[in-house]
Amino acid sequence: MTDIYILNTHIHNLSMEETLEIIDSTISKGEQLHHVVVNAGKIVAMQTDLQLRQSVNKSDLINADGQAVVWASRILKKPLKERVSGIDLMVNLVALAAKKKYKVFFFGAKEGVVKEVVNKYSNQYSSDIVAGFRNGYFKKEQEQEIAREIADSGANILFVAISSPTKENFLYENKELLKKVNFIMGVGGSFDVVSGKVKRAPLWMQNYGLEWFYRFAQEPKRMWKRYLVGNSKFMYLVLKERLKS
């Protein structure tokens, strides 16, 4: 896999189709792949959060989740093929699990939300794809116990729907305990969207890189700092890097 390096971040230059092929091949071989997606906010955080930077850059496969990252790659003359959003990848992998009889563990979000996700996919496909589920509320000292529970569930795929940097650090620090799980991935707020708790932006807004604004408009008090401040910092970093080249 070829990768580019921008703003202290490795990103693999893959399409959605290529990403899915790599994951499917890994699972079928019984190997393990640790996956991460990065967006503008996460890349900004990685400039000062060295633990997060390590957790991301030491993973096996890194996709660009945000359209802003794809645009930045072009501005910096290291163009990525396309955006591979975490939620779209998750949805595609659930469909793949149903087709290939892989089992999925759903970890994260509130109890009612993760149950709704499991019920939705069980009804859409089959409950056979579900290895287990757990909400995303726990203490640091419980992490290893949770990792063992997931590893012993028979899961081929693990989705972790917890905010950054907790999910990235959890997967990196517990990768060895999770070695029986073939594919491990953080999916942020994706369970909230799948369950219907949060609405996703229309496709045209996604295509124009405005998904962040749609999310901000739903919860401005909670999201203003993440998106308005974070995106401004990201644009500054990209322009600063461009002027250096």
Side-chain angles (χ1 to χ4, degrees):
M1 292 183 289
T2 59
D3 72 336
I4 68 167
Y5 188 69
I6 59 172
L7 302 175
N8 299 306
T9 309
H10 288 284
I11 307 171
H12 290 101
N13 196 5
L14 298 167
S15 66
M16 174 68 78
E17 183 178 354
E18 289 168 335
T19 301
L20 287 166
E21 286 176 357
I22 290 169
I23 296 167
D24 188 22
S25 175
T26 298
I27 297 173
S28 65
K29 291 176 183 176
E31 299 171 350
Q32 188 192 60
L33 190 71
H34 173 197
H35 177 274
V36 173
V37 293
V38 292
N39 55 23
K42 194 178 297 184
I43 290 176
V44 169
M46 287 169 62
Q47 305 312 302
T48 54
D49 187 336
L50 300 185
Q51 183 180 10
L52 175 61
R53 187 191 299 183
Q54 180 184 52
S55 296
V56 170
N57 285 332
K58 290 286 188 178
S59 61
D60 305 308
L61 179 59
I62 307 167
N63 285 130
D65 177 65
Q67 188 61 38
V69 178
V70 177
W71 290 338
S73 73
R74 294 168 183 168
I75 291 169
L76 298 175
K77 302 187 183 302
K78 301 174 182 179
L80 290 163
K81 293 178 182 179
E82 65 180 19
R83 174 193 184 201
V84 181
S85 81
I87 186 169
D88 290 331
L89 181 59
M90 184 187 83
V91 169
N92 284 327
L93 286 171
V94 173
L96 180 70
K99 180 181 178 182
K100 295 291 188 75
K101 300 188 185 308
Y102 299 147
K103 288 191 172 292
V104 183
F105 196 103
F106 299 88
F107 172 34
K110 293 181 178 178
E111 184 75 10
V113 170
V114 68
K115 282 184 176 179
E116 182 59 32
V117 171
V118 169
N119 289 337
K120 178 176 178 177
Y121 284 137
S122 294
N123 292 331
Q124 185 176 352
Y125 299 107
S126 165
S127 59
D128 291 342
I129 70 166
V130 180
F133 66 91
R134 190 191 192 285
N135 68 56
Y137 295 84
F138 56 92
K139 296 178 181 178
K140 180 68 178 178
E141 56 266 28
Q142 294 177 281
E143 283 194 1
Q144 291 189 357
E145 177 188 344
I146 293 169
R148 291 189 188 97
E149 174 192 340
I150 295 168
D152 291 340
S153 70
N156 304 106
I157 297 171
L158 166 64
F159 296 129
V160 181
I162 299 171
S163 60
S164 295
T166 304
K167 66 179 180 295
E168 289 84 5
N169 294 336
F170 171 83
L171 288 172
Y172 176 69
E173 292 169 3
N174 294 286
K175 184 176 178 179
E176 182 62 25
L177 288 175
L178 293 165
K179 62 185 177 183
K180 290 191 287 186
V181 184
N182 307 118
F183 180 74
I184 56 177
M185 171 190 183
V187 295
S190 297
F191 289 4
D192 287 338
V193 176
V194 172
S195 70
K197 181 184 176 185
V198 172
K199 291 183 179 179
R200 194 175 182 193
L203 190 59
W204 72 267
M205 292 189 81
Q206 296 176 40
N207 293 337
Y208 280 97
L210 293 171
E211 194 163 9
W212 69 270
F213 183 77
Y214 189 86
R215 185 74 181 90
F216 163 72
Q218 291 184 74
E219 295 184 278
K221 289 183 179 180
R222 192 165 78 89
M223 295 295 178
W224 74 270
K225 187 172 183 179
R226 178 193 298 185
Y227 289 125
L228 299 186
V229 177
N231 286 0
S232 297
K233 286 182 178 178
F234 181 71
M235 287 189 288
Y236 168 76
L237 290 170
V238 171
L239 292 174
K240 183 180 177 183
E241 187 73 13
R242 180 70 181 89
L243 291 172
K244 287 195 318 190
S245 58

